[in-house]
Amino acid sequence: MAPKTEHLMSLRAVRQLRRTRVFYTGGVLLWAATSLWTGRTQPGSRQMWVSLLFLAVFAGLLAATSMWLRRLQATSGHQPAHHAAPRRATAPGHVNA
């Protein structure tokens, strides 16, 4: 029963990491645009450096999430799709002598 539970947990983790990766991608795009805008209008200002800091934080989070997602997908790919009972060579009522 443990492998089935682990497989379900890994599917949930992959799904959650994909959602998180989309969120972090949006954050990277937002802070990149903000950094670019602030760098052009107020170069060297505190707002520009804060925007660059948030861009670095979101880029780091996106990189970590992508790495974890890649690892989870690599480990879950080696598991079989389902566990079936082996087939019998003879009929259940037939006895080989």
Side-chain angles (χ1 to χ4, degrees):
M1 189 66 131
K4 186 176 182 181
T5 305
E6 289 174 9
H7 182 67
L8 289 176
M9 289 298 288
S10 68
L11 288 176
R12 289 181 189 148
V14 166
R15 195 176 313 131
Q16 184 65 33
L17 282 173
R18 284 182 182 155
R19 288 184 195 138
T20 306
R21 186 176 61 177
V22 169
F23 178 76
Y24 290 153
T25 303
V28 166
L29 292 174
L30 174 73
W31 288 109
T34 304
S35 298
L36 184 66
W37 177 264
T38 308
R40 285 185 184 210
T41 58
Q42 301 171 354
S45 67
R46 180 177 291 180
Q47 288 84 5
M48 183 197 77
W49 291 112
V50 169
S51 294
L52 287 173
L53 175 69
F54 279 121
L55 175 62
V57 167
F58 272 91
L61 290 171
L62 178 62
T65 304
S66 297
M67 182 182 63
W68 289 335
L69 184 60
R70 198 173 310 125
R71 283 184 184 174
L72 269 177
Q73 287 176 338
T75 59
S76 67
H78 297 294
Q79 296 176 353
H82 63 78
H83 302 279
R87 295 183 182 207
R88 294 182 184 212
T90 60
H94 187 267
V95 178
N96 288 336

